[in-house]
Amino acid sequence: MTLKYLITGATGGLGKEVLNYFIANIPRSEFAAASSNAANRSAFEDRGITFRHVNYDDPQSLETGLRAVENLLFVSSSGMRRGEQHARVVEAAKKTGVKHIWYTSLAFGGFQDTSKALVMQDHLLTEKLLRESGLTYTSIREGVYAECFTVFLDWYPERTGTLTLPADGSVAYTSRAELGEATARIMIQGGYENQTVLFTAQETITARELVNIINKTTGRQIKLNLVSREEYLDSWRNDPREKPREHFEMIASVWDEIVSGALHTTHPLLGEILGREPKSPKDFVSTLLEEDREYVFAY
């Protein structure tokens, strides 16, 4: 029996949002949830949702789990093995005859393939594999989650006084819930074969503006201190969390990209697919902090 939709990463932040939309709008006979953890089966089946075990590190589970699937939501993995994991998924999709892959990429560089951000390199490789695979695909470059603004600022609730960064620039932070809903909607709508699409909020926001929102909504008095890249990298020595230098190198590399405009691009497609104006970064972060002044992004 052919399965119309398979949603991988169904226990993760984005995949869960996609699944919620399917549950509310599509007959349960038409879709299934997938997870790398077979122990999650009962959590879905108890709710009447078909489950498939799909582990990107296990070729056999991929070939079994992707069998007779028309539309595959291919949620990207994370970590050092992402490139090889994604290559396995593409190969298994070819073997099993998946009709259309909907891949969740990232918005670094907008529509361009020139981003030097480390986090983007495996996505660019995966998009190349998809282009060369002969499969029908859509690469959805999802805007940076507004929920993870604290990661970009390297801010945590205990921090007071000065927040130090190596640069400032504009980012089109986008609601993860809206990204999930739009990803579900575009899969159901169909089309966009062999295209790269961009889902972003319609506005951008800077680190300085985010700090102002933190102060306004939580009563804090944080000051943003912009320093040279070298000085920022050296600040790991006095970090109260005892984060390694590699952590600061990661943050600095992201801001290198932001300064170059890699996350500044906005596009109207998200609003068109949602049928409404997406939440602005300012409004989203303000609401988030008004509801929880101690908020910090949980991976």
Side-chain angles (χ1 to χ4, degrees):
M1 177 179 171
T2 300
L3 181 65
K4 194 165 186 180
Y5 305 100
L6 179 63
I7 302 162
T8 66
T11 59
L14 181 67
K16 188 182 298 183
E17 298 290 351
V18 175
L19 181 63
N20 286 341
Y21 189 86
F22 272 87
I23 291 171
N25 294 279
I26 298 295
R28 297 194 181 192
S29 60
E30 294 188 5
F31 66 89
S35 169
S36 61
N37 187 353
N40 287 324
R41 178 180 299 276
S42 61
F44 292 105
E45 292 184 344
D46 288 350
R47 299 159 61 195
I49 301 167
T50 300
F51 177 82
R52 291 194 179 186
H53 178 220
V54 174
N55 187 326
Y56 294 177
D57 288 318
D58 180 0
Q60 184 57 55
S61 82
L62 285 167
E63 291 191 26
T64 302
L66 304 189
R67 190 169 297 143
V69 170
E70 290 187 10
N71 290 274
L72 170 66
L73 176 65
F74 175 10
V75 173
S76 59
S77 65
S78 60
M80 299 297 292
R81 303 191 313 278
R82 178 162 51 193
E84 58 190 74
Q85 289 173 328
H86 287 190
R88 289 192 200 100
V89 176
V90 173
E91 187 59 32
K94 289 167 61 176
K95 287 184 179 179
T96 55
V98 170
K99 302 301 182 185
H100 193 140
I101 290 180
W102 303 85
Y103 174 63
T104 63
S105 185
L106 276 179
F108 279 84
F111 287 104
Q112 303 301 313
D113 297 337
T114 55
S115 173
K116 297 297 188 294
L118 294 178
V119 71
M120 191 65 191
Q121 300 314 300
D122 286 333
H123 291 290
L124 293 174
L125 173 61
T126 304
E127 290 178 346
K128 182 174 184 290
L129 291 174
L130 288 169
R131 287 194 300 270
E132 297 173 350
S133 69
L135 291 161
T136 299
Y137 73 93
T138 305
S139 182
I140 307 170
R141 292 193 177 179
E142 314 259 0
V144 172
Y145 298 158
E147 290 85 347
C148 75
F149 79 93
T150 57
V151 177
F152 282 55
L153 294 184
D154 198 21
W155 179 75
Y156 46 96
E158 296 81 10
R159 168 170 263 170
T160 58
T162 301
L163 187 155
T164 301
L165 288 176
D168 195 2
S170 298
V171 179
Y173 290 103
T174 309
S175 159
R176 182 168 60 183
E178 290 187 331
L179 288 170
E181 178 185 340
T183 298
R185 283 177 176 269
I186 199 173
M187 289 177 66
I188 295 166
Q189 174 183 316
Y192 301 94
E193 289 89 353
N194 302 324
Q195 294 183 38
T196 296
V197 300
L198 186 62
F199 280 173
T200 70
Q202 298 303 288
E203 299 176 19
T204 63
I205 196 168
T206 65
R208 190 169 299 280
E209 290 170 323
L210 285 170
V211 169
N212 289 338
I213 291 172
I214 291 172
N215 291 337
K216 180 179 180 180
T217 57
T218 70
R220 291 177 168 88
Q221 295 184 352
I222 306 294
K223 293 182 179 179
L224 178 62
N225 180 34
L226 298 179
V227 299
S228 69
R229 196 180 198 279
E230 293 72 23
E231 185 176 347
Y232 178 76
L233 291 177
D234 198 49
S235 65
W236 72 274
R237 301 178 188 278
N238 300 312
D239 183 59
R241 302 162 298 172
E242 299 184 347
K243 293 281 188 181
R245 180 182 170 90
E246 289 76 13
H247 171 83
F248 291 85
E249 289 174 345
M250 182 273 291
I251 298 293
S253 70
V254 168
W255 282 101
D256 289 342
E257 286 289 297
I258 292 172
V259 169
S260 74
L263 293 175
H264 181 76
T265 303
T266 62
H267 195 273
L269 182 60
L270 177 63
E272 293 168 7
I273 297 295
L274 290 173
R276 63 180 186 273
E277 188 76 12
K279 296 174 183 175
S280 72
K282 178 182 178 181
D283 290 344
F284 184 90
V285 172
S286 295
T287 300
L288 199 63
L289 290 173
E290 285 166 1
E291 293 175 349
D292 180 8
R293 73 183 303 275
E294 304 299 317
Y295 173 82
V296 64
F297 181 68
Y299 286 91

